[in-house]
Amino acid sequence: MKIKIAAFLAGIFGVLGVLLFLVAFGTDYWILATERCGGFDTDNSTHHPEEVEREDSEGILTFHHEGFFWRCWFFGEDYQDTIWNFWFTSQGHPKHCMHGYLFPMPIALGPHPHPSYDATAVYRGFWTAFVILAVTASLVGGFLLVCGVPFVNARFYKVGGGFLVTAGGLFALLVFMFVMWKEFAADLHKYILLERSGRCLDNVPVHVYYGWSFMFAVAGIPFVLLSGLLFYLSGYSILKEMD
């Protein structure tokens, strides 16, 4: 009876955690930024958006957000410079997006690498690998537990729980890498203004925030770790009773 209760609680925690991981992976709000450097010409046929001269551009905020798949921006007049303007229902329209090219660094556009390519590019490969591995491990663990829970299968409990613990550990690692990248490794002022360095001054203020996707990933880590641990211990208890 105790094992069934533990498995039930573990299932609830696991569903919440995996859903938060999937939302974090599938939404493009890992990093948020605002600046006042004018607008983009979205009619340009090349990969590099060209700037449009705007009257009274100092009153127009440009909002950037980026994730694993897309890099997007939109504009707002008389907006306050807060992260709440990035909430899904609060964004200005129209919004423009381009492929993120496996965020976070660098964005290499055209036939040749961008001149801003630097050592932080190593983070892109590792960060991308950990995201894919973590999502895969959480889905595999969830699938095994869906198969094992109805039959109180000890092996499925242990293996599925192990996959969830692995997924939680990988997400914790990639969150740590993301914080290190944002706080210490990358020149985010240069990165946000990458495509507009010809026009924007070096002293243009850029405000960078952690995004909703990052927060969802952080929130999902304890749920998945606790779920995996409960399932693993439940499987261990079942095997011990069978012996």
Side-chain angles (χ1 to χ4, degrees):
M1 186 66 180
K2 292 182 179 179
I3 292 176
K4 290 184 178 180
I5 294 175
F8 175 74
L9 293 175
I12 294 176
F13 294 146
V15 168
L16 288 174
V18 172
L19 285 177
L20 287 169
F21 283 173
L22 292 177
V23 171
F25 175 69
T27 54
D28 299 295
Y29 295 88
W30 279 85
I31 191 168
L32 314 176
T34 60
E35 43 85 4
R36 296 180 182 270
C37 194
F40 289 98
D41 180 10
T42 57
D43 294 330
N44 184 20
S45 60
T46 66
H47 284 289
H48 294 270
E50 294 180 352
E51 295 76 24
V52 176
E53 295 291 341
R54 290 174 176 262
E55 295 181 2
D56 192 25
S57 62
E58 292 184 356
I60 298 176
L61 272 172
T62 303
F63 298 87
H64 303 262
H65 66 85
E66 186 167 355
F68 187 81
F69 298 103
W70 294 97
R71 181 188 189 196
C72 301
W73 63 92
F74 59 93
F75 309 103
E77 297 186 46
D78 301 324
Y79 270 49
Q80 296 296 318
D81 190 0
T82 70
I83 63 173
W84 292 106
N85 292 316
F86 290 93
W87 190 247
F88 311 105
T89 59
S90 302
Q91 296 178 16
H93 293 283
K95 184 166 76 169
H96 312 287
C97 296
M98 62 188 294
H99 288 292
Y101 295 96
L102 297 182
F103 163 85
M105 262 306 253
I107 297 226
L109 302 175
H112 304 289
H114 197 282
S116 293
Y117 187 99
D118 61 77
T120 57
V122 176
Y123 268 76
R124 180 180 65 175
F126 283 104
W127 194 83
T128 298
F130 287 136
V131 168
I132 295 174
L133 287 174
V135 171
T136 302
S138 63
L139 291 176
V140 171
F143 175 77
L144 290 173
L145 293 170
V146 166
C147 296
V149 166
F151 308 103
V152 195
N153 190 302
R155 288 186 177 180
F156 280 153
Y157 276 12
K158 291 188 68 176
V159 176
F163 270 104
L164 289 184
V165 170
T166 301
L170 287 172
F171 260 99
L173 182 58
L174 71 90
V175 163
F176 173 78
M177 288 184 62
F178 182 84
V179 172
M180 292 297 102
W181 175 80
K182 178 184 178 298
E183 300 296 337
F184 304 107
D187 183 351
L188 288 175
H189 183 281
K190 181 179 180 181
Y191 176 65
I192 297 300
L193 301 178
L194 189 65
E195 303 302 328
R196 305 202 280 172
S197 56
R199 176 181 175 185
C200 297
L201 300 176
D202 292 337
N203 60 354
V204 171
V206 176
H207 303 284
V208 183
Y209 310 95
Y210 292 104
W212 308 117
S213 302
F214 172 85
M215 297 175 189
F216 289 144
V218 172
I221 291 171
F223 285 115
V224 169
L225 288 175
L226 181 58
S227 174
L229 185 60
L230 284 174
F231 273 120
Y232 185 86
L233 293 176
S234 297
Y236 179 81
S237 298
I238 293 172
L239 290 176
K240 191 173 181 179
E241 289 178 1
M242 292 174 63
D243 294 338

